[in-house]
Every structure is written in C-alpha cells, then in structure tokens.
Amino acid sequence: MINARTDCRCCRSKNLNEVFRLGDQPFANAFLRSEQLSELELKAPLIIMECSDCSMAQLSHIVDPTVLYREYSFVTGSSQWMTSHFAELLRTNIRDFVPRGGLVVEIGSNDGSALLSIKREGIRCIGVDPATNLAAIANDRGVTTLCDFFSEKLATAITTGVGQADLIVACNVLGHIDDLDDFCLGVKKLLAANGRLVVEVPYVRWLVSNNECDTIYHEHLSYFSVGAFVHLFHRFGLQIEKVESQAVHGGTIRVTAKHGTENASSVQPWIVEEKLDWTRFRTHCETMRLQLLAWLIREKKEGHVIWGYGAPAKGTVLLNYCGIESDLIPVVVDSTPSKQGKFVPGTHQPILNPEEVLKQMPSACLVLAWNHYQEIERKESAYKQAGGKLRTPFVTLFPTPNNNRTS
Ligand code: DWN
C-alpha cells in the first residue's frame, strides 16, 4: 500500500535529497466515523525530497491511489469561490481554443461543478474522476463523468469513442499523480493538433516562501516548480505557452501547454526566481508550530475556547503536525455534509455544522481553511459582530514576510 520512490518523476534523476519531514501522519482526508475511533489508524511518512537536477519537490513515499481516491471527501462545490475560479478558467480557454461543438475533457473533475458551468454553452464535455461517490454526483447533475484514473489507455478510449480534445484541463490533479509519464502519453494521444492543456497546481515557490507546511500531505506527491514542468513536458513533446500566477490554495500556477518543443520566452524568468530556501522553511515551520501551541495554551489558561473552522486536508496536517488534540481545540466545523458527524484523522476532533459557531459562540475560530478566509469571514459576520474572532494559523499570530494570507 505504501511504496518508496527513489527517482525524480519529472526528469528521472536519482539525485534526490531530503529537505523537510512532517513525521508519520494519517491520511489527511481519511475522516473517521465514531466506530473507527478505537481502531488503529493507517499512517505513512511525510518526507519531501528535492531533485538537484530539475528542482522538483516530491514525497519519498507513495500511498496506493485507490486507498486515497476511490471514496473522496473533498468536494469542489464546497466553495463558491473555487467553483467560479474554475468556471472562469474554462470560459476563457473555451473562448480562445474550443470551436463550436468542440470537446473539453477535465481530469480530476470531482463533483462536476466546473464543467457544469460551461455545459449550457453547447460544448461537448467529459469529466474523468476515480472517486465513485463524486462521479455519481456529477453524472446525476448531467455531467458525463468516467469513473477512473486518467491514463494513456483511457485517453485512447476517449479518442476512439468521441475524438480528440480541443481543451484538456487538470486543476489540482497533477500533484496527485505518480506516473506522470503515463499522464503525458495520454495527453499526447487525446489532445488535438491545435489543442491546449491547462494545468493548475500549488506553486512550490509560494509554499516555501509562505511556510505552507500544512499543504504537504500524502495526496500531494509532487510540489511543482516551473523548471520541473519544463523537464517533464520536454520529454513528451509538449511546450509551455504561458505560466500565470493564481491567488487560490495558497498560491498556484496555471500552466498552458500544447504540442511542440519550443517554450515561450516568458518561461525562463520564472525558473531564474526558483531558488528555494528549504532551510529557512524548516526553521519557520518549527517556530510557527511552537508559537501556535503556546498561543492555544495561553488562550486555554485564560478560559477561552478555540474551535477549528473548516476540516480541509491541510487542517488535518496542521493539527497532527502540531499535536493539537481536543484538549486545545475541542471541535472543528465544516460545511461539507459528508464530513459532518465524522472525526479529524489522528487528532479526533468531532466535525460539526458551522451553524454551531453562532449557537455556541467559541471565543475564537482558528481558520484551518485559511485559503477561503474571505468567504468564511463573510459567512460568519454575525459571529464576529457578536464578539467572536477568526484567526488564521500563522499570519495573524505570526506575521512572516511575503505572506499572501489574510489576517
Ligand atoms: O489538492 C487538493 C485541494 C485543492 O483541495 C485536494 N487534494 C484536497 C483539497 O484540499 P483541502 O481539503 O485543503 O481543500 P480546501 O478547499 O481548502 O477545503 C476547504 C474545506 O473547508 C472544505 O472541507 C469545505 C470547508 N469550508 C467550510 O466549512 N466553509 C469551505 C468554505 C469556503 C466555507 O465557507
């Protein structure tokens, strides 16, 4: 179920060096039912290795994807902001690259929220997602979704069945795929001659400069730099047409590629800036861990009750990395119905409906889903007016340079 990977999945180099470790952690989206609390929880090492040849950062150990994804807790539709973000991506790229009656394929289409936003525009669209629970939701919503992992084999089947795609989209997916060779071979098969591949991934440069250690978990096998994309795509005859910075999920990059071998001149400046200071990152994360614990202990001594707001994958990582159990944060709330009534992996906080915040009025909520701060702050305006406080795990308590998080 858990295997070590000893070569770089982008450039195949063996020159990998350990740069950060979070210890053995439970799987971030493996929320527990009450009857599972007394059972042994699966844990696996979270260790980041950096490739000396292409600056790719990747986990040392890989968890069997069928364990992580066949039943998946994260639902794109849980955030209006993210749904509109992906809808904008699809609309602009359809305008530019998809003729009337063209085909759009979204890899990692989740509950179909993004594709649903363009379905009305007479564009043929197909979703691909391995999660049986999410594919069922998407198909019920009228988004044709193939319940499987994307592969060269599946790409061949789609091409044979309905033709090549004018646009292939993969948002927050590439980081989850171990065999990127097979992914690229599938894209080469499926992508039309003048089609575009648009991928969006968390950007390792912002992860390191903003100390986003809670975004490191077993689903995220890779932490991409632009340099890593150049090495990977070059091996498969894909050229990068543009790279755009996006302010979602702690800072991502949107990479647009097509068949060819000549990257745009705008790519090189990105690579020049990718000198990652993992030593500073390690020091900052350890300091923030200790400061967050000290703050929670201080608040508890003053009789204040702190809840967690949002049960994102990153929240599981933060609570387990810092050893924050129910004595310091007794409750976590989350708007995802399938997470309510369950418990956080590892630290076992019960997950309640966010309506309980205004009802029970904890002194403050630590916003574990800090990438949705503005949306959450709007929803909880009554709680704040009643004296409740919202805090993000690091920036409010521990302002750090280059931090693009809200306070
Ligand atoms: O790569 C991934 C990222 C993109 O999404 C996936 N592997 C898993 C997932 O990571 P995550 O769980 O950290 O994603 P989010 O979007 O940060 O999760 C937000 C959580 O917060 C959801 O469970 C929903 C919840 N939420 C809430 O309770 N109230 C969200 C909003 C906006 C809210 O108002």
Side-chain angles (χ1 to χ4, degrees), residues 63-114:
V63 176
D64 177 349
T66 57
V67 170
L68 295 177
Y69 301 114
R70 276 305 184 194
E71 279 295 311
Y72 199 51
S73 303
F74 172 75
V75 182
T76 304
S78 62
S79 163
Q80 295 154 356
W81 180 37
M82 288 313 296
T83 300
S84 57
H85 171 81
F86 295 129
E88 172 272 334
L89 179 156
L90 284 170
R91 268 197 294 277
T92 49
N93 282 286
I94 285 170
R95 178 198 63 211
D96 296 345
F97 306 115
V98 183
R100 189 127 194 91
L103 175 64
V104 175
V105 174
E106 183 183 8
I107 300 166
S109 51
N110 199 274
D111 63 349
S113 288

Side-chain angles (χ1 to χ4, degrees), residues 136-343:
I137 294 170
N139 281 307
D140 287 349
R141 299 168 85 182
V143 177
T144 305
T145 300
L146 306 176
C147 186
D148 203 348
F149 293 94
F150 183 74
S151 63
E152 183 185 11
K153 184 180 173 194
L154 184 66
T156 305
I158 296 171
T159 305
T160 309
V162 294
Q164 289 190 303
D166 302 284
L167 176 63
I168 300 174
V169 173
C171 293
N172 302 308
V173 176
L174 237 63
H176 302 59
I177 296 173
D178 179 31
D179 188 347
L180 291 176
D181 287 23
D182 185 52
F183 175 87
C184 290
L185 288 170
V187 167
K188 286 296 284 185
K189 273 275 178 32
L190 181 58
L191 190 64
N194 195 32
R196 293 299 188 280
L197 165 69
V198 180
V199 299
E200 201 165 287
V201 292
Y203 187 29
V204 69
R205 194 172 145 213
W206 303 146
L207 184 156
V208 170
S209 62
N210 287 348
N211 314 304
E212 295 168 5
C213 55
D214 51 353
T215 63
I216 297 169
Y217 41 91
H218 299 103
E219 296 176 15
H220 290 173
L221 299 176
S222 304
Y223 301 82
F224 284 98
S225 60
V226 174
F229 270 117
V230 166
H231 279 81
L232 173 67
F233 285 169
H234 182 71
R235 289 199 291 121
F236 294 92
L238 291 167
Q239 68 183 47
I240 297 176
E241 186 174 66
K242 63 181 171 182
V243 180
E244 301 161 280
S245 202
Q246 300 290 321
V248 292
H249 282 300
T252 63
I253 46 174
R254 180 179 295 174
V255 178
T256 302
K258 60 184 181 182
H259 293 294
T261 56
E262 291 298 317
N263 293 319
S265 56
S266 59
V267 170
Q268 189 55 29
W270 283 86
I271 297 172
V272 170
E273 294 294 326
E274 288 172 348
K275 302 281 179 283
L276 306 176
D277 186 345
W278 286 99
T279 304
R280 188 203 65 79
F281 175 80
R282 281 195 300 275
T283 308
H284 258 276
C285 291
E286 182 55 18
T287 303
M288 291 186 296
R289 184 178 75 85
L290 296 173
Q291 290 180 338
L292 179 55
L293 279 171
W295 175 71
L296 287 167
I297 291 165
R298 221 169 30 247
E299 289 294 298
K300 182 173 183 178
K301 278 183 180 161
E302 291 170 12
H304 299 153
V305 175
I306 311 294
W307 282 10
Y309 200 107
K314 62 177 79 66
T316 303
V317 174
L318 185 82
L319 295 173
N320 281 277
Y321 169 52
C322 298
I324 298 170
E325 302 194 346
S326 296
D327 58 326
L328 291 176
I329 291 186
V331 167
V332 170
V333 297
D334 193 287
S335 60
T336 311
S338 61
K339 293 182 182 179
Q340 294 166 7
K342 290 184 180 167
F343 298 80

